Amino acid sequence: MQITKFIEAQTYQAPNHDGMTCFRLQGKEVGPSEKMWMGMSVIEPGGQTGLDGSPSEKIYFVLEGELSVICETPDGKRSETKLYANDSCIFLAGEKRQLKNLSNAVVKVLLVMSI
């Protein structure tokens, strides 16, 4: 078993992420995991990611706040929605995604992703 206390969680810098603090909670350099890792992002008002794709699936779960989510499929179809506390979404491999905090309050998002 691997336990990570949030008070001891390591931060990391994700490319093309602005106005955010990212914490690694499980997997990768934090501890053993063969298939996935988990992190949490704290997104300040005005913070956002770029509209980027990934070869891995990503699951986002909103812990707190209001998150604007943009998705662009490999064929160029774009959609946008807002997620609130306890809402979640998945981005499939190859889908571009952008997260934005357009509110005046902090947003906290849990991320689970394959390695």
Side-chain angles (χ1 to χ4, degrees):
M1 176 170 61
Q2 167 66 36
I3 295 172
T4 302
K5 301 281 187 172
F6 184 72
I7 192 83
E8 300 168 354
Q10 301 172 21
T11 61
Y12 68 96
Q13 183 60 47
N16 215 7
H17 286 52
D18 299 310
M20 300 173 66
T21 303
C22 301
F23 296 90
R24 187 96 61 212
L25 302 176
Q26 293 293 335
K28 294 204 171 191
E29 69 277 1
V30 175
S33 179
E34 296 178 9
K35 302 196 189 261
M36 63 190 131
W37 67 272
M38 183 171 65
M40 185 180 83
S41 296
V42 177
I43 309 170
E44 298 296 328
Q48 65 181 16
T49 68
L51 183 63
D52 299 315
S54 170
S56 301
E57 292 181 346
K58 295 180 179 189
I59 298 172
Y60 291 95
F61 182 89
V62 178
L63 298 166
E64 179 181 317
E66 177 183 305
L67 182 67
S68 294
V69 179
I70 298 162
C71 179
E72 185 177 295
T73 61
D75 64 1
K77 187 176 180 181
R78 190 178 279 203
S79 61
E80 184 170 349
T81 193
K82 288 191 189 242
L83 300 178
Y84 302 91
N86 301 315
D87 292 343
S88 63
C89 66
I90 186 169
F91 291 95
L92 302 177
E95 287 185 325
K96 292 181 180 178
R97 58 90 182 96
Q98 184 172 32
L99 310 178
K100 292 183 177 184
N101 181 357
L102 301 175
S103 76
N104 290 327
V106 167
V107 175
K108 293 182 181 178
V109 180
L110 192 66
L111 162 66
V112 177
M113 185 172 154
S114 61
I115 293 180

